[in-house]
Amino acid sequence: ASIGFKCKIMPVKTSQDNMRDPNSGLPYIVFGYEGIVYAADNHARVINCSWGGSGYSLLGQETINYAISKGALVVCAAGNDNSPEVFYPADYDGVLSVAATDNNDHRASFSNYGHGISICAPGSNIYSTWQPDTYIYASGTSMASPLAAGVAALVTGKFPQYTPEQVREQVRVNCDDISSLNPGYINLLGAGRVNAFKSVSNVNSESVR
């Protein structure tokens, strides 16, 4: 029902019911990297990760590399700490890292930012499913990342021969520049806010770093 029109979804549970944050009650992502491997091994083309933290590990980077080698693009939430500090898995090489914007294309107040950000996507007051069987309005880069992943899935469907790197860059270079609306964050919000129409219709995209 979201932006990834007619895309197939592979839900992968990476939490554990009896391991939860004592303050929020939400489960920890205990098997996040194992989940990426499972999805890649089962032919996922785009893998969304609405989770992360501050710790770098070689295992994490090698997991991303493995997913890419299997033909999967990994899309990750940039974090909700209103910080420019690194955040993983979003800051691993090869990842499409997603910050959050509001409905005016301003950086969401909670969203991380920095030179490691790839793109932005709407992440404020997003209407979504919630357990056990309801809908809520939720905010976070965890809401922005799956919207970007949905666009990546559309690109994958339109250009099935593209590698994960090509899909990532097709989404990135076809973003709308929102620098003028975020003068305090020039070059810290990636290429801008994702644009689905341009991403699937521009056949002459060029990626230059």
Side-chain angles (χ1 to χ4, degrees), residues 2-3 48-51 76-78 80 98-101 110 121-130 136-150:
S2 188
I3 199 166
N48 178 69
C49 300
S50 286
W51 51 271
C76 297
N80 305 323
V98 188
T101 52
F110 52 80
S124 298
N125 295 316
I126 305 298
Y127 195 55
S128 184
T129 53
W130 196 253
I136 64 168
Y137 287 94
S139 297
T141 57
S142 288
M143 309 305 289
S145 182
L147 282 172

Side-chain angles (χ1 to χ4, degrees), residues 126-195:
I126 305 298
Y127 195 55
S128 184
T129 53
W130 196 253
Q131 293 180 330
D133 60 352
T134 187
Y135 292 86
I136 64 168
Y137 287 94
S139 297
T141 57
S142 288
M143 309 305 289
S145 182
L147 282 172
V151 175
L154 292 178
V155 169
T156 300
K158 181 68 181 291
F159 306 104
Q161 76 280 12
Y162 277 17
T163 66
E165 294 93 336
Q166 288 175 308
V167 172
R168 182 191 68 217
E169 291 304 284
Q170 179 74 11
V171 175
R172 188 181 69 85
V173 302
N174 285 293
C175 282
D176 289 347
D177 187 352
I178 57 173
S179 298
S180 63
L181 298 171
N182 296 274
Y185 299 93
I186 302 298
N187 298 323
L188 299 178
L189 296 175
R193 192 250 308 121
V194 67
N195 185 314

Side-chain angles (χ1 to χ4, degrees), residues 14 37 59 97 102 107 122 139 156 165 177 184 190 195:
T14 58
V37 171
L59 171 69
S97 171
D102 63 20
R107 182 188 72 91
S139 297
T156 300
E165 294 93 336
D177 187 352
N195 185 314

Side-chain angles (χ1 to χ4, degrees), residues 4 26 45 47 79 82 96 98 104 109 111 114 116 123 135 141 152 154 175:
L26 297 174
R45 296 292 305 276
I47 300 171
N82 184 27
L96 186 70
V98 188
N104 293 311
S109 60
S111 178
Y135 292 86
T141 57
L154 292 178
C175 282

